[in-house]
Amino acid sequence: MATSKWYKPYLLGGLAGLLLTASVLFANQFFGTSTTFPRAATWLVDLVGIDLSHLDFYQVRGGALTGASFPNWQLLFVLGIGIGAFISSLLTGTFKLERLPPMWVARFGDRLGLRIVHSLLGGVLVMLGARMAGGCPSGHGVSGVSQLGVSSLLALAMFFVGGIITARIIYRGGK
């Protein structure tokens, strides 16, 4: 199945658009993932019994990050993205375990600890940027652009610019 082209991006893009349309029609929900992560973090903090409700970052648009609304459909959406990617890689024969990506090893060497630190710091920066932008690439890029939101068009352009600049800095001279 790895050589099959049934998964062409045009077909999957169209199916994603139909799924978004169905999500809005039947559940009145647009795609987005970035709020799930602070909700999960504050849910865990609440579970442990730490009260952070007095801090500004604990609030999302005037409401608490957690409560009766978490875990919710967005968490299932985020989990489904990972599970779907895994299943897709198995079906297409592209799944493989590797300690470090070859491109990383060529640029930075085979130090796993360095990769973990960079990944964690990069993840924190991406989440901060997504929260500052009022949404993530899936929220702005799929849901916001489908509504022709000017802020989403601008945010999506900045996601691409930031990604290109970051890749050029990290992999300068690489292939």
Side-chain angles (χ1 to χ4, degrees), residues 7 45 57 66 69 86 90-92 107 113 119 122 132 148-149 158 172:
Y7 55 91
V45 166
F57 74 84
T66 58
S69 65
F86 176 69
L90 290 176
L91 291 175
T92 59
R107 175 72 174 98
S119 296
M132 287 171 53
L148 298 178
M158 293 300 105
R172 62 185 177 272

Side-chain angles (χ1 to χ4, degrees), residues 18-162:
L18 290 174
L19 182 61
L20 174 66
T21 303
S23 177
V24 172
L25 283 174
F26 298 114
N28 200 28
Q29 297 290 333
F30 284 93
F31 290 169
T33 61
S34 63
T35 305
T36 301
F37 297 97
R39 279 190 178 141
T42 54
W43 181 68
L44 289 172
V45 166
D46 286 349
L47 206 60
V48 174
I50 300 171
D51 182 18
L52 299 177
S53 61
H54 62 284
L55 300 173
D56 286 340
F57 74 84
Y58 192 79
Q59 302 295 316
V60 171
R61 300 194 185 198
L65 281 168
T66 58
S69 65
F70 191 82
N72 60 6
W73 72 271
Q74 229 177 19
L75 176 63
L76 296 176
F77 182 63
V78 169
L79 293 173
I81 290 170
I83 293 167
F86 176 69
I87 291 170
S88 176
S89 71
L90 290 176
L91 291 175
T92 59
T94 57
F95 178 80
K96 65 179 178 177
L97 289 175
E98 57 187 17
R99 186 171 178 267
L100 290 168
M103 183 184 268
W104 176 270
V105 173
R107 175 72 174 98
F108 299 105
D110 63 352
R111 295 179 294 174
L112 182 61
L114 182 66
R115 173 63 185 223
I116 291 170
V117 168
H118 276 85
S119 296
L120 290 173
L121 289 175
V124 167
L125 289 174
V126 166
M127 283 310 303
L128 286 172
R131 300 311 303 150
M132 287 171 53
C136 58
S138 65
H140 280 300
V142 177
S143 298
V145 170
S146 72
Q147 300 172 71
L148 298 178
V150 175
S151 64
S152 291
L153 292 167
L154 180 61
L156 188 61
M158 293 300 105
F159 289 139
F160 275 99
V161 168

